[in-house]
Amino acid sequence: MGEIVRLQKYIAMCGAASRRGAEELISDGRVTVNGKKISEQGVKVEIGADSVMLDGKLIKPSGKMYYIMLNKPTGYVSTVKDQFERPTVVDLIDTEIKERIFPVGRLDYDTEGLLLMTNDGDFTYKVTHPKHEIDKTYIAVLKGGISIKGLAQLRSGVRLDDGFVTSPAEVEMLDAQNGHTTIKITIHEGKNRQVRRMFEAVGSKVKELQRISIGTVELGNLPLGRWRHLTSHEVSYLKNL
Ligand code: URA
C-alpha cells in the first residue's frame, strides 16, 4: 500500500501548486480523484494507487525538486500568471524549469530583491508559515527623513491602517542625504505591503524597497533580474526551520 496523504498535500508534492494554492484548485472544482470531481477539503488519496487529475491532466508526485532565488526587479508580479497580463517573475526564468516553479510568498510589483521559487509545495508551506517567524530583511529608501520617535515606534511595534499591531522590528539607519533616508529593517511577519505600511504608520513614505535576506539566506551580489539555484546548505536550512 502507498502512503496516504491529504489531497492538497498530494497536489503540492506533484509541484502543481503550494498547499494553499492546492486548496484553491480543489474548491474551484479543478481536481478529480479516480474520475470524481472533489471540491471539499480533507479528502485523502493513496500515492501510487489513486488517479488524481488537475484540469483533466493526470498529475503524479515529481521526482526532481528545484529551489532557486531570483533578484526580482520592480515591474514584475510575483505570480505564475497575472490577470492583467503584466510580466511575471516566471518570465525571468529562462530555462525549461519555468514550466514547473512558482514563487514562495510574494514581493510587491514595485519591490525588488530576494524572491525564492520552487516546485516543492511543502517547502513553500514551511517557509511562508507565520509560525516559523523567519526574519526578512529589507532596505527601504524613504522620501525625506524619519524622526527619532518614528524609529523608536518601529522598534517597539506600530498599528497599521487595518488595526494590526506589528511585532518589534530591528531598524538601523544606514544613510541620510539629499532628501532621502536609507533604512535597514528586519521583520518576521508577512502582512500585505507590511514594510511600506509600517513606515506610513510613522509618517514616512517608502520610495524604493528591496529585500536582501530571508533568514540566513542572502541575496548577495546576484545581479538584478538574474536567478541561481540555492545551495544544498541553503535548502536544508530552510527545510529545517
Ligand atoms: N513589505 C512591503 O511593503 N512590500 C513587499 O514587497 C514586501 C514587504
Side-chain angles (χ1 to χ4, degrees):
M1 194 160 117
E3 191 190 348
I4 294 179
V5 295
R6 287 162 74 92
L7 183 54
Q8 66 265 48
K9 177 162 182 190
Y10 183 95
I11 296 169
M13 288 166 81
C14 296
S18 67
R19 264 204 232 182
R20 263 174 245 172
E23 284 170 8
E24 259 172 52
L25 295 174
I26 296 169
S27 27
D28 290 348
R30 295 170 58 186
V31 180
T32 62
V33 176
N34 302 328
K36 183 168 171 283
K37 184 157 93 182
I38 304 293
S39 41
E40 77 276 18
Q41 308 296 333
V43 169
K44 296 205 166 128
V45 292
E46 184 182 340
I47 298 174
D50 289 315
S51 151
V52 178
M53 290 194 181
L54 169 63
D55 294 334
K57 269 192 5 207
L58 191 66
I59 53 169
K60 290 186 175 172
S62 51
K64 184 139 177 63
M65 293 296 177
Y66 300 98
Y67 306 93
I68 71 171
M69 75 157 69
L70 169 72
N71 186 353
K72 175 196 172 300
T74 60
Y76 287 81
V77 282
S78 304
T79 48
V80 174
K81 178 134 185 54
D82 181 47
Q83 54 174 332
F84 305 114
E85 304 287 327
R86 289 174 298 181
T88 77
V89 289
V90 175
D91 295 334
L92 293 163
I93 311 302
D94 49 358
T95 70
E96 68 284 357
I97 69 170
K98 72 183 290 174
E99 307 297 333
R100 315 195 39 193
I101 53 171
F102 43 85
V104 177
R106 273 206 330 226
L107 283 180
D108 297 334
Y109 184 74
D110 45 358
T111 300
E112 63 180 48
L114 172 55
L115 183 70
L116 300 175
M117 299 177 80
T118 185
N119 60 337
D120 181 345
D122 263 355
F123 176 87
T124 301
Y125 180 76
K126 188 142 222 191
V127 174
T128 55
H129 200 292
K131 81 171 179 217
H132 296 302
E133 301 196 342
I134 182 163
D135 280 345
K136 282 155 286 191
T137 299
Y138 298 84
I139 303 291
V141 178
L142 310 182
K143 190 166 183 300
I146 183 166
S147 62
I148 301 282
K149 185 164 167 236
L151 291 174
Q153 284 172 326
L154 292 169
R155 289 188 181 117
S156 56
V158 292
R159 185 178 294 276
L160 301 183
D161 44 13
D162 58 0
F164 178 80
V165 178
T166 60
S167 300
E170 276 172 49
V171 184
E172 187 186 342
M173 166 116 58
L174 298 182
D175 193 22
Q177 57 177 323
N178 303 328
H180 293 117
T181 309
T182 307
I183 306 266
K184 183 163 143 184
I185 178 165
T186 301
I187 61 170
H188 61 70
E189 297 144 327
K191 300 283 170 210
N192 191 28
R193 296 180 77 82
Q194 181 166 336
V195 173
R196 290 172 201 277
R197 289 161 64 213
M198 286 173 73
F199 281 103
E200 267 162 36
V202 299
S204 292
K205 174 118 185 80
V206 172
K207 200 169 146 268
E208 287 164 28
L209 189 61
Q210 179 198 30
R211 180 157 67 195
I212 57 166
S213 63
I214 297 179
T216 61
V217 177
E218 293 183 356
L219 184 61
N221 54 11
L222 184 67
L224 195 61
R226 302 294 287 272
W227 64 274
R228 69 163 172 86
H229 291 282
L230 295 188
T231 64
S232 53
H233 183 259
E234 288 167 332
V235 174
S236 60
Y237 158 73
L238 291 165
K239 279 187 175 174
N240 292 308
L241 282 173

